[in-house]
């Protein structure tokens, strides 16, 4: 018996998500085709100029915008940011530092602190049970 290996492919939206770029900003040939796992790995290992440019300047998808601002995706929505932003727009928002951004950053810091506390508590409990 011989096993037939099929090439694993994904939709452009999935590939864009994995690459951390905004799909609508990618070249048409990327948006219209399918991306194989091999092609995705090649794009990640040796990104072409268009991918480098998108990662550097944007527009960036919401998860990337949220990470660059140090807040959650929900925090972006609460702040009224629903569209993709460029790096320049993100930097301007950081400079402006509106009230909602300060609040969301404080909330995110609390969430991280609580997650660390829970992790330490679980580690201590695991240590005791040994």
């Amino acid at each position: 018996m011989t096993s037939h290996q099929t090439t694993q492919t994904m939709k452009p939206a999935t590939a864009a998500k994995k690459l951390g770029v905004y799909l609508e900003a990618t070249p048409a040939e990327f948006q219209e085709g399918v991306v194989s796992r091999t092609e995705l790995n090649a794009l990640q290992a040796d990104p072409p100029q268009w991918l480098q440019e998108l990662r550097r300047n944007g527009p960036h998808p919401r998860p990337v915008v949220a990470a660059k601002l140090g807040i959650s995706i929900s925090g972006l929505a609460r702040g009224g940011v629903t569209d993709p932003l460029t790096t320049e727009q993100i930097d301007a928002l950081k400079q402006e530092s509106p009230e909602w951004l300060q609040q969301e950053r404080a909330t995110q810091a609390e969430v991280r602190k609580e997650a660390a506390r829970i992790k330490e508590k679980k580690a201590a409990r695991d240590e005791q049970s040994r």
Side-chain angles (χ1 to χ4, degrees), residues 1-74:
M1 274 194 185
T2 59
S3 63
H4 226 316
Q5 183 121 7
T6 58
T7 305
Q8 189 178 24
T9 61
M10 61 192 84
K11 294 177 182 176
T14 304
K17 192 176 198 176
K18 289 180 181 287
L19 292 170
V21 295
Y22 183 57
L23 178 63
E24 282 73 19
T26 61
E29 59 269 10
F30 181 85
Q31 293 180 37
E32 294 164 2
V34 293
V35 181
S36 72
R37 174 65 63 187
T38 307
E39 290 169 332
L40 179 70
N41 290 341
L43 286 170
Q44 289 174 323
D46 186 24
Q49 185 62 38
W50 65 265
L51 183 53
Q52 292 175 25
E53 188 66 27
L54 272 179
R55 286 179 170 169
R56 190 176 316 112
N57 299 319
H60 303 288
R62 287 180 310 157
V64 174
V65 173
K68 286 180 180 265
L69 290 173
I71 62 175
S72 67
I73 296 171
S74 299

Side-chain angles (χ1 to χ4, degrees), residues 54-123:
L54 272 179
R55 286 179 170 169
R56 190 176 316 112
N57 299 319
H60 303 288
R62 287 180 310 157
V64 174
V65 173
K68 286 180 180 265
L69 290 173
I71 62 175
S72 67
I73 296 171
S74 299
L76 272 181
R78 285 189 293 270
V81 178
T82 55
D83 295 329
L85 299 178
T86 63
T87 301
E88 192 175 300
Q89 291 169 316
I90 293 168
D91 291 342
L93 204 50
K94 285 179 181 176
Q95 286 293 326
E96 260 177 53
S97 192
E99 180 68 33
W100 69 265
L101 181 57
Q102 294 173 28
Q103 181 63 41
E104 290 301 331
R105 282 182 165 169
T107 300
Q108 193 66 16
E110 285 297 316
V111 167
R112 287 188 187 112
K113 199 160 76 175
E114 180 65 10
R117 185 190 69 76
I118 291 170
K119 185 176 179 181
E120 286 174 16
K121 186 176 179 182
K122 183 184 180 316

